[in-house]
Amino acid sequence: MSTSLMEQSVKPRDGRITLHICTSVPDTKSDNHEDALLFVNTEITQEQNAEWCHVWRWNGQVGHHAAHCVCCTGQGSLSAFLLARAQESVLGRCAPYQSVWIICCKNEAERVQNRLKKEGFLNSFYKFVG
């Protein structure tokens, strides 16, 4: 086996979707890939919809307990929503995207980030920035 093949197998390319968790819509988008917006328990204005690959809205309870807790997981959870969107993209059922900007209220942003980071399976599809 050549050295270059060994190096490739040791350092695989990370194809996960990037997650940004913030309290407002970013002013500028990256020009080199498609971005999506996900509003968590917040309202969407017409200006915020413009020129994004996808704009989603999720309303629900952000879990407080461990990632395996029955009351915090299930079909209505935020992690299930994100997994479904990733699956749609992988299967070619929607326009591909490489980054999601999750927009939360100031009092929920840290809780959303902590909760999503605990989701092991979600981390197979998404990586956190910041």
Side-chain angles (χ1 to χ4, degrees), residues 7 12-13 29 33 38 43 51 68-69 94 102 111 130:
E7 288 174 11
R13 187 177 148 276
K29 295 183 300 191
H33 64 281
L38 171 56
E43 296 299 320
E51 299 181 21
H68 61 276
C69 176
C94 70
I102 299 177
R111 187 170 10 138

Side-chain angles (χ1 to χ4, degrees), residues 50-71:
E51 299 181 21
W52 293 89
C53 180
H54 300 282
V55 178
W56 303 303
R57 186 166 186 232
W58 183 84
N59 285 317
Q61 177 94 18
V62 178
H64 297 281
H65 305 120
H68 61 276
C69 176
V70 176
C71 74

